[in-house]
Amino acid sequence: MVPNELYRLLRCPSCYSRNLVVNEAAVSCGGCGVDYPRHAGYLDLMPRGVAYDYTSKYVAEEAQLAEELDYREIAPPLLAAGVRNRALVRLLALGAGDVVLDNGCGNGRFAVWNRERVALMVGNDPATMFADEALAQIALTQADSRRLPFADGAFDKSFSIDVLEHFPREVIDAYLAETARVLRPGGRFLAFSNTSEPSSLQPLTNLSRRIGRLFVRAGIYDFEREARRKSDHIKALRTFEDVLAAMRQAGLRPVRIVFWNSVFTSFVEHVVMKLGEAWLARRRAPAATGPVGAGTSRELQARQAVRGRLQQRGGLRLALELITRMMELDLWLFGRLRSGSYFIVVEK
Ligand SMILES: [Zn+2]
């Protein structure tokens, strides 16, 4: 949605003017004359007249990915997404007075899940694969993170979940510099991402992976969709030292760090859930062959079947809540052991 509170946060992403005029169909810049159209549920605030070398896969292949990513509906925050969300709420201490930016929001699920905890939740992404609930319930902008359409100090808090690993280094630097600019002094930013550093608990994780691979060989499950989802991970910040250096360079001071060594998580994801998905999908009609492969269709079908049942609080929902808490044990037990995946909170 495009609430009135959003307008007072804006500045022109093309010429940086704050002299913006709001019309029925667009926001017009009094500085450079550009009209930024208002679409159903979001504002197009992409900078005009700026060319960048790098474009994210999500922008470049939006149409093809749209089908695979199954983005229009939002499931409850469970499993790996549930662990991320619980950590986000706790570590960033989202509060009732906060104006918050989810920068790189994807379909907007984290913003939707937390919109009622804060005063204003803004989701931003250059790709517009927004979920229906996001379009209806949170303030949405289509903008480039290297030139955010927001005034200096507009936000109390900002977060990015699974974003930084997609960017080359110069884009990360620009992203963090813009994050620092739009935060008020003392404002906080949480990033969840990963480096290339192996966890010291990797052998335990590998055991789950090996069991998972047995399923693949037996034809119970394939990991094609997961592989594609991770296909554009660059991990330009290779080590956690690189992460700290990039934050400091942007003027952001680390205040809280929790690593995610996925011991319980890996067992749940590679063994428990894959068996569950395969079982659910096989009870349904055989996978139709379309532009996505059979493994992907099977997983999507399983997800859609499950999602309906998750909206009601039943046995399945409760079981998944418990499994989510089990995965979260990884943060409580091993959160200080350095590994590839991390939550970091930094302060301006
Ligand atoms: Zn302008």
Side-chain angles (χ1 to χ4, degrees):
M1 64 184 184
V2 185
N4 286 333
E5 301 95 297
L6 178 63
Y7 293 118
R8 66 181 166 78
L9 305 179
L10 300 180
R11 80 170 197 187
C12 175
S14 304
C15 78
Y16 307 143
S17 169
R18 294 207 65 192
N19 178 16
L20 300 171
V21 180
V22 180
N23 312 315
E24 188 80 352
V27 174
S28 302
C29 177
C32 64
V34 169
D35 286 336
Y36 297 98
R38 178 183 177 145
H39 298 287
Y42 68 94
L43 276 176
D44 168 8
L45 289 159
M46 291 295 274
R48 308 300 201 261
V50 186
Y52 290 116
D53 291 339
Y54 169 82
T55 308
S56 100
K57 183 177 87 164
Y58 295 94
V59 175
E61 300 168 29
E62 185 165 334
Q64 191 214 326
L65 282 165
E67 178 166 2
E68 276 174 50
L69 290 174
D70 187 24
Y71 68 94
R72 297 200 71 102
E73 286 181 64
I74 295 177
L78 293 165
L79 305 171
V83 175
R84 283 167 174 76
N85 196 54
R86 288 169 56 81
L88 165 67
V89 171
R90 182 166 55 87
L91 296 173
L92 203 51
L94 293 177
D98 290 335
V99 176
V100 182
L101 173 64
D102 178 357
N103 192 9
C105 68
N107 76 345
R109 57 189 180 148
F110 286 93
V112 166
W113 289 330
N114 297 299
R115 72 192 184 283
E116 285 174 350
R117 297 177 199 276
V118 301
L120 179 65
M121 180 68 80
V122 179
N124 176 59
D125 206 286
T128 58
M129 292 183 281
F130 301 126
D132 296 338
E133 276 177 272
L135 289 164
Q137 296 173 1
I138 58 168
L140 282 175
T141 57
Q142 176 190 15
D144 194 299
S145 300
R146 290 163 287 193
R147 263 189 186 231
L148 288 174
F150 307 113
D152 297 359
F155 294 94
D156 300 299
K157 286 164 186 167
S158 174
F159 62 90
S160 82
I161 310 284
D162 301 309
V163 173
L164 297 180
E165 65 271 24
H166 297 278
F167 295 153
R169 182 60 199 261
E170 66 274 16
V171 178
I172 293 173
D173 288 341
Y175 180 104
L176 294 177
E178 279 290 85
T179 296
R181 183 182 66 75
V182 302
L183 280 178
R184 66 166 167 79
R188 290 190 171 190
F189 168 63
L190 175 142
F192 174 72
S193 183
N194 50 78
T195 65
S196 303
E197 292 177 311
S199 162
S200 53
L201 301 174
Q202 195 66 36
L204 285 171
T205 306
N206 287 345
L207 192 64
S208 300
R209 280 184 204 280
R210 270 205 292 278
I211 298 172
R213 275 204 292 274
L214 287 177
F215 295 161
V216 177
R217 243 175 271 148
I220 295 173
Y221 189 77
D222 79 54
F223 288 84
E224 135 194 27
R225 180 165 176 261
E226 184 168 323
R228 197 185 337 241
R229 199 159 39 206
K230 292 185 174 169
S231 63
D232 72 332
H233 285 194
I234 298 172
K235 299 188 186 178
L237 302 176
R238 301 195 62 77
T239 69
F240 195 69
E241 289 306 316
D242 294 341
V243 176
L244 294 174
M247 295 294 175
R248 290 202 187 98
Q249 186 187 312
L252 297 166
R253 180 177 62 88
V255 290
R256 197 74 200 279
I257 293 153
V258 176
F259 294 104
W260 190 353
N261 291 269
S262 55
V263 176
F264 289 103
T265 300
S266 183
F267 181 74
V268 168
E269 291 197 321
H270 288 96
V271 180
V272 179
M273 293 318 297
K274 297 308 178 193
L275 275 177
E277 279 175 3
W279 179 71
L280 278 165
R282 272 156 189 258
R283 291 169 64 209
R284 296 169 65 82
T289 47
V292 294
T296 301
S297 307
R298 196 152 62 217
E299 189 185 331
L300 290 179
Q301 282 184 10
R303 274 167 194 257
Q304 279 151 11
V306 165
R307 198 152 41 206
R309 291 170 62 186
L310 287 181
Q311 298 304 334
Q312 309 115 30
R313 295 205 159 255
L316 179 64
R317 172 77 183 261
L318 184 65
L320 290 175
E321 296 271 9
L322 288 172
I323 293 172
T324 305
R325 299 296 200 283
M326 181 177 139
M327 294 166 84
E328 200 182 8
L329 280 178
D330 283 333
L331 303 188
W332 296 110
L333 295 176
F334 314 122
R336 286 165 182 271
L337 281 179
R338 185 153 149 176
S339 77
S341 300
Y342 60 86
F343 297 89
I344 186 169
V345 179
V346 291
E347 186 174 283
K348 178 179 176 181

